[in-house]
Amino acid sequence: MAADSEPESEVFEITDFTTASEWERFISKVEEVLNDWKLIGNSLGQPLEKGIFTSGTWEERSDEISFADFKFSITHHYLVQESTDKEGKDEESEDAIPQSMQDLLCMNNDFPPRAHCLVRWYGLREFVVIAPAAQSDAVLSESKCNLLLSSISIALGNTGCQVPLFVQIHHRWRRLYMGECQGPGVRTDFEMVHLRKVPNQYTHLSGLLDIFKSKIGCPLTPLPPVSIAIRLTYVLQDWQQYFWPQQPPDIDALVGGEVGGLEFGKLPFGACEDPISELHLATTWPHLTEGIIVDNDVYSDLDPIQAPHWSVRVRKADNPQCLLGDFVTEFLKICRRKESTDEILGRSTFEEEGREVADITHALSKLTEPAPVPIHKLSVSNMVYTAKKKIRKHRGEESPLNNDVLNTILLTLYNQFKSAPSDSLTYKLALCLCMINFYHGGLKGVAHLWQEFVLEMRFRWENNFLIPGLTSGPPDLRCCLLHQKLQMLNCCIERKKARDEGKKTSPSDNVTNAYSGDAGKAGGQLGLDHLRDTEKEKGEVGKSWDSWSDSEEEFFECLSDTEDLKGNGQESGKKGGPKEMANLKPEGRLHQHGKLTLLHNGEPLYIPVTQEPAPMTEDLLEEQSEVLAKLGTSAEGAHLRARMQSACLLSDMESFKAANPGCFLEDFVRWYSPRDYIEEEVTDEKGNVVLKGELSARMKIPSNMWVEAWETAKPIPARRQRRLFDDTREAEKVLHYLAMQKPADLARHLLPCVIHAAVLKVKEEESLENIPSVKKIIKQIIAHSSKVLHFPNPEDKKLEEIILQITNVEAIIARARSLKAKFGTEKCEQEEEKEDLERFVSCLLEHPEVSVTGAGQGHAGRIIHKLFVNAQRAAAVALPEEELKRSGYPEERRQNSVSDFPPPVGRELILRATVPRPAPYSNSLPQRMYSVLTKEDFRLAGAFSSDTSFF
């Protein structure tokens, strides 16, 4: 075996050189991507319009390729344009130079304010970039750079692609690109130089012209003229006489129209710092030829005042501090706190001290001992007052809010001057808490104010004082839950007040009218059209099982009168009841119901005084829905559910029976639900056409809820019935709910009010400035907020997004006011000039760069010139004395020698020429070189075309 293996080991290995290498695979992948994107051949587009690079739409598409294990991203950037009609142009396009070469000479879009760097440097509308995929990767060595350039050159030649292809080399922050573009018999090389320090001979036009001429190497003796475009950029940072008009807020101010608005009930507005940090003036000479101007190291004709074109852009301060945004943001932070009011202000409110809690074993024995304390002193207010004294004793005499601040807030809350929906008590409370949180005590101040507010609510309940700033009627389910609770408490106070006043002033009839007169009046005004829908409403609103009680003494207003009627009520529930009922005296009538009469005795049908349905808040409705759902679908559950929902129906039946003795169910249905009483025209025995009516099919169903309720109903007027709405219990539930709210819960309830107030404030401020872009953003904020705040407990992230949008709008309005102050729009005497300045300021906010009409000679140009002159003089005055003495000039001469403008922070030049290259007999092709000089770096970006057919 060993002998056999030796000849095999000596076999000559053959290398297959037809196998593709990694370099060839990379070229193939580039060609494949170019083919997939259909970038093959020449596609001539429309001539570029002026400003299209900024106003047009740019799109890009990317793919990933790799060279061995090194990954690259290849991206196609292009300007979206309408396709042109190619008929009749096929023959011309075959020999035409590529579109990108033609774009090199286009002067309509020099120095675009916002575009890709390659677009600014070369004026291209379409190009492809190959760059390392990872941010940290870079192509650093010269050999790798040359390998990539060779790869794209081969790929362009193989595919016939005429779109420029660039390769990014070195680190990303340097933005160094090398590239190539190929056409039929032509080629353009894109080259770049990037230096940190510029040589002195290249800081002016004459030195750059020398570079350009030497690079193109034109063999013609009279060199074709070189077209020149120059832009010098000046920066204004020091706003001397135009200070920021927004004064910092006075922390100690309570009332006063200071900027930011510290008046309680009003949100502040504005930026605490100037939101405009710099003004950039670009002076441009767009069309110059060599020899017209002189610009060298000794002398320059480039005077910014004489520049034919001025354009301005403003640099905005990064995240300026805005008062309204800070207020809402700080209020949102309360939502994340977990402490209760007792934990913030002190120990538990009802914590007993010393011997009062020393011996708890005698707690039950005290129940059997006689109470020496008079009944009238046992009020909840006295108990809360005692507890409040203990709290203050525990936490010391100092409170988070002093009495002056607290009294000012309480007067703001309970004195109403307007009746606008945004002027409700809840709305004002939210703004005051927001103000307290920011200026007066923070979280402790919020807890203190809330505690005082709850005590005020209890005082108003016990003393029958209505809560101001709340619309009358049941709770509005469109509002936040806290607002509904306050409305519910107001309903309780209204019922209690009407009942107490009725007892004092007159006997039972007046009590009836005071108790339920509103419902009767409403029924009388609305008539039959309203009554047709009454059944549905009464079946859905306010039928709470909790309002039923086993203790009748808790609900009856006149217990003795009710006992007298008990016998009659029992008899009326049996068969033949209407006959006995006919002998009863009618009670609780409101007014006659039109021409309707009772079916059996022909007496007029009267509308009774009824109890109003119990008002419900959304949490009570949800609780009731859960209770009804838990009853299940069994027959017993359905029956119990029907009973729970028929409390209001039973009350109305009893009122109807008391007002209409001798009535039947058909009479009640004709008033209560006319759709369930069907009338038909029939002919009687004598041949006369008469109306005959009967109950609907659903009313005839066995064990019908209406029939059962009618049989059990007693003829009792509303004033003697058990109350459907127990205002005492509901008020105590509301007060307990308010007292148990933590500051975080309170902030959650009131945050929609705060955001609503912030949006209204932004809209109010925007109406003074009239900024179109802000109007669109406000509409978006309203739409977004409506979706987020419609449901309880929205996510903090979504709330932060809304607040950020509000802050951004506030910053935009602050920028508009800053610019108006700097340009003095209010000082213009001529209306036309004022309108032009306001339009100019509005454009500065919405566009990246704005042209100045009339350049330095226009109205806006003169104001800008004056701003620079004042800043230069202020800078000259601020120079150290030693430096002034060293200059050797007298003071007057020094002031006169101060230039109107500082040295430019940026110098940009574009040189263009059309010359034959490389030989005199070659085709004349476009040549272009872009130069930019700043304090940080110096860059040259050249595009040099050459003839590959005649060289």
Side-chain angles (χ1 to χ4, degrees), residues 517-538:
D518 293 338
K521 292 177 184 177
Q525 291 171 354
L526 297 179
L528 282 173
D529 293 336
H530 168 70
L531 293 173
R532 288 171 183 166
D533 299 327
T534 306
E535 177 199 348
K536 182 178 178 181
E537 295 176 2
K538 289 181 180 288

Side-chain angles (χ1 to χ4, degrees), residues 529-564:
D529 293 336
H530 168 70
L531 293 173
R532 288 171 183 166
D533 299 327
T534 306
E535 177 199 348
K536 182 178 178 181
E537 295 176 2
K538 289 181 180 288
E540 294 176 353
V541 181
K543 316 313 186 288
S544 174
W545 181 253
D546 294 336
S547 64
W548 294 22
S549 174
D550 295 333
S551 175
E552 295 188 0
E553 289 79 9
E554 182 183 357
F555 292 93
F556 279 81
E557 301 299 335
C558 302
L559 189 60
S560 59
D561 295 341
T562 307
E563 293 295 335
D564 294 339

Side-chain angles (χ1 to χ4, degrees), residues 43-233:
S43 57
L44 294 177
Q46 298 176 350
L48 292 173
E49 300 176 1
K50 190 172 184 63
I52 190 65
F53 284 167
T54 303
S55 60
T57 302
W58 286 87
E59 292 185 359
E60 62 180 58
R61 47 188 173 182
S62 299
D63 206 342
E64 193 172 279
I65 57 177
S66 58
F67 193 128
D69 57 348
F70 194 93
K71 293 184 178 181
F72 291 90
S73 65
I74 179 169
T75 308
H76 178 213
H77 301 264
Y78 59 97
L79 178 68
V80 178
Q81 288 183 299
E82 296 180 1
S83 58
T84 57
D85 188 9
K86 296 184 179 181
E87 293 182 4
K89 298 183 180 180
D90 294 340
E91 296 180 0
E92 297 180 6
S93 62
E94 288 181 1
D95 298 329
I97 62 174
Q99 181 71 67
S100 58
M101 291 188 185
Q102 300 179 28
D103 291 342
L104 295 176
L105 299 177
C106 180
M107 297 184 180
N108 289 336
N109 292 283
D110 291 345
F111 315 113
R114 186 170 54 196
H116 192 280
C117 60
L118 292 175
V119 177
R120 187 177 184 87
W121 297 338
Y122 297 114
L124 302 174
R125 72 178 74 182
E126 186 179 19
F127 55 93
V128 178
V129 177
I130 298 177
Q135 293 289 333
S136 57
D137 291 341
V139 180
L140 301 176
S141 65
E142 184 177 356
S143 60
K144 291 182 180 179
C145 295
N146 291 332
L147 185 63
L148 287 175
L149 288 173
S150 300
S151 303
I152 65 172
S153 180
I154 294 172
L156 290 174
N158 291 343
T159 59
C161 174
Q162 296 186 13
V163 176
L165 190 55
F166 291 88
V167 175
Q168 185 170 10
I169 58 178
H170 288 275
H171 298 287
R172 285 184 180 269
W173 64 266
R174 297 192 65 179
R175 297 192 298 175
L176 265 176
Y177 297 89
M178 307 292 282
E180 186 175 317
C181 176
Q182 293 185 11
V186 293
R187 184 184 74 234
T188 300
D189 296 312
F190 298 93
E191 304 171 4
M192 200 170 292
V193 175
H194 184 221
L195 303 175
R196 282 191 177 275
K197 190 175 181 180
V198 58
N200 291 331
Q201 64 268 28
Y202 301 143
T203 58
H204 43 75
L205 176 61
S206 58
L208 295 172
L209 278 171
D210 293 341
I211 296 179
F212 184 65
K213 291 177 181 177
S214 64
K215 184 64 180 177
I216 61 178
C218 181
L220 301 179
T221 46
L223 189 67
V226 177
S227 175
I228 305 170
I230 303 177
R231 167 173 285 205
L232 304 182
T233 303

